[in-house]
């Protein structure tokens, strides 16, 4: 069977099998855990050549005075080590990733205020039999435990919060991930269901049941790839999902982790359209416009050089 993937960086083991069905949504390798099978991979999954280096976001016009934030991604030896977002007012958000073998071991967030104050959040990942089994979050001296359950295909199907005596979470809760056809349904406890519909490897619709009257519909430029479709970025989002001070799901959210994890870059999001300037398969500038044709914001991109190609050309051409 062919499977749709939430992110393009799928498990090498799964991808090599060639048994994929575009009507069965499946997450990626999730950082080398191997989906319950013994993986031969011993190092982290590398990022694609020429990975994104910086993303600058501007309000309405591409000027320094309109700059809203700059995000810089750190890649060492082709491995994603983290990213840092800097705002004009001096606020800085730093993310650091560490690995153990092919697995994501820790994910650390440090938010620094202009006054010098800071908040540090540490997520630690535990694996049993090569499968992700637990995520522990520590923030301001308080600890929360989230047990993870996977199915036999390596897909996360359950995240269960186990409060401790000193935790942020006030009560136990459970979130489920249900895969059916080309749909993924994500639900926390008895709250609204968040239903994602896939075409290929992209989320094309997000709706809730019971409905709030808003359905998120998305279209993509399938010639443009999304570098942040990454198994380790996926795991950082899973860690934050539904937690206090973390991520929630709702219609109309361009920062929805499942939509942002699609394989391609969207050129239409609800009533917004996006003009994409590109170099090959990579976006260099994306201009967002409302249904009146007015520019809402602009993103510009730079990339790491593809050193392997550069050396090859220098040597042989």
């Amino acid at each position: 069977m062919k499977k749709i993937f939430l992110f393009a960086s799928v498990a090498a083991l799964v991808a090599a099998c060639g048994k994929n069905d575009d009507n069965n949504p499946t997450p990626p390798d999730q950082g080398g855990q191997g989906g319950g099978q013994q993986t031969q991979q011993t190092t982290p999954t590398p990022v694609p050549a020429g990975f994104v280096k910086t993303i600058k976001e501007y309000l309405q016009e591409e000027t320094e005075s309109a700059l809203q934030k700059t995000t810089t991604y750190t890649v060492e030896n082709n491995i994603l080590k983290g990213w840092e977002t800097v705002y004009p007012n001096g606020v800085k958000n730093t993310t650091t990733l560490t690995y153990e073998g092919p697995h994501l071991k820790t994910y650390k967030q440090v938010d620094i205020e202009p006054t010098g104050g800071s908040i540090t959040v540490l997520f630690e990942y535990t694996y049993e039999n090569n499968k992700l089994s637990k995520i522990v979050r520590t923030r301001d001296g308080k600890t929360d435990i989230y047990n993870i359950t996977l199915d036999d295909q390596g897909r996360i199907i359950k995240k269960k919060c186990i409060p401790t005596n000193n935790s942020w979470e006030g009560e136990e809760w459970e979130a489920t991930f249900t895969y059916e056809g080309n749909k993924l349904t994500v639900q926390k406890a008895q709250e609204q269901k968040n239903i994602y519909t896939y075409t290929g490897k992209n989320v094309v619709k997000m709706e809730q049941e019971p409905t709030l009257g808003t359905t998120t519909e998305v279209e993509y430029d399938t010639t443009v790839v999304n570098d942040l479709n990454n198994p380790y970025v996926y795991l950082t989002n899973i860690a934050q999902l539904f937690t206090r001070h973390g991520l929630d799901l709702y219609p109309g959210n361009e920062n929805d982790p499942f939509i942002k994890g699609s394989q391609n870059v969207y050129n239409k999001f609800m009533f917004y359209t996006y003009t994409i300037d590109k170099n090959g398969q990579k976006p260099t500038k994306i201009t967002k416009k409302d249904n009146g044709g007015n520019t809402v914001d602009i993103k510009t991109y730079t990339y790491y050089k593809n050193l392997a190609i550069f050396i090859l050309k220098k040597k042989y051409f």
Side-chain angles (χ1 to χ4, degrees):
M1 283 181 22
K2 280 188 170 184
K3 303 180 184 78
I4 278 184
F5 295 93
L6 295 184
F7 297 85
S9 300
V10 299
L13 186 64
V14 174
C17 291
K19 294 181 176 180
N20 296 329
D21 188 338
D22 281 350
N23 290 320
N24 190 0
T26 305
D29 171 57
Q30 299 167 17
Q33 69 191 42
Q37 304 177 44
Q38 292 301 317
T39 178
Q40 300 301 312
Q41 190 173 336
T42 58
T43 58
T45 301
V47 299
F51 191 75
V52 63
K53 186 174 184 179
T54 65
I55 302 176
K56 291 189 174 185
E57 300 185 29
Y58 301 87
L59 182 63
Q60 298 182 328
E61 60 182 14
E62 190 181 344
T63 63
E64 283 303 308
S65 61
L67 181 64
Q68 300 298 293
K69 62 180 179 180
T70 302
T71 301
T72 303
Y73 294 87
T74 301
V75 175
E76 297 178 3
N77 298 320
N78 298 320
I79 304 302
L80 180 62
K81 293 300 183 94
W83 54 90
E84 181 177 80
T85 300
V86 179
Y87 298 84
N89 63 1
V91 172
K92 182 186 298 184
N93 307 133
T94 301
T95 296
T96 305
L97 308 180
T98 67
Y99 303 89
E100 186 172 85
H103 302 301
L104 180 62
K105 185 63 177 175
T106 65
Y107 155 44
K108 183 179 180 181
Q109 288 181 312
V110 181
D111 297 337
I112 302 173
E113 298 294 330
T115 58
S118 66
I119 297 174
T120 299
V121 185
L122 177 67
F123 295 89
E124 299 172 277
Y125 298 78
T126 299
Y127 302 81
E128 295 180 5
N129 298 321
N130 213 38
K131 297 170 64 175
L132 178 64
S133 61
K134 182 169 65 176
I135 301 174
V136 177
R137 179 183 68 163
T138 303
R139 175 188 170 116
D140 293 338
K142 296 184 179 182
T143 299
D144 295 285
I145 298 172
Y146 306 93
N147 290 336
I148 304 296
T149 303
L150 300 126
D151 65 10
D152 58 4
Q153 297 182 53
R155 305 179 299 191
I156 292 177
I157 58 174
K158 188 183 298 182
K159 178 183 180 181
K160 186 173 184 179
C161 171
I162 309 296
T164 66
N165 291 330
N166 183 30
S167 66
W168 285 103
E169 305 283 0
E171 59 185 8
E172 182 176 302
W173 54 260
E174 182 175 289
T176 57
F177 302 74
T178 305
Y179 308 85
E180 187 174 9
N182 67 334
K183 296 182 185 294
L184 166 65
T185 300
V186 183
Q187 182 181 28
K188 177 185 176 183
Q190 300 304 311
E191 296 179 4
Q192 287 173 307
K193 294 180 179 180
N194 303 279
I195 304 170
Y196 297 86
T197 302
Y198 283 79
T199 294
K201 302 172 185 179
N202 298 318
V203 174
V204 295
K205 182 187 294 185
M206 186 276 195
E207 51 196 332
Q208 288 188 325
E209 290 184 359
T211 180
L212 295 177
T214 302
T215 297
T216 303
E217 295 186 344
V218 192
E219 297 177 10
Y220 296 83
D221 183 337
T222 56
T223 67
V224 183
V225 297
N226 173 21
D227 275 357
L228 299 183
N229 170 314
N230 178 281
Y232 303 118
V233 174
Y234 172 73
L235 285 182
T236 66
N237 288 328
I238 287 295
Q240 296 184 77
L241 190 60
F242 297 129
T243 64
R244 189 174 180 187
H245 309 296
L247 296 175
D248 288 314
L249 305 178
Y250 55 90
N253 177 19
E254 289 189 64
N255 292 314
D256 183 293
F258 297 101
I259 294 175
K260 289 187 72 174
S262 291
Q263 180 182 27
N264 298 112
V265 174
Y266 51 74
N267 54 20
K268 187 174 183 181
F269 187 95
M270 302 182 73
F271 54 82
Y272 294 106
T273 57
Y274 301 77
T275 301
I276 303 174
D277 297 340
K278 61 184 179 180
N279 183 6
Q281 292 184 308
K282 305 276 191 171
T284 56
K285 179 178 178 179
I286 299 178
T287 303
K288 175 183 177 181
K289 295 184 178 181
D290 61 22
N291 55 6
N294 302 301
T295 298
V296 178
D297 59 47
I298 298 170
K299 293 181 181 179
T300 61
Y301 298 75
T302 66
Y303 296 88
Y304 284 94
K305 292 181 179 179
N306 188 347
L307 294 180
I309 292 178
F310 175 76
I311 293 171
L312 199 64
K313 286 183 177 180
K314 184 176 180 181
K315 185 174 181 181
Y316 295 103
F317 300 96

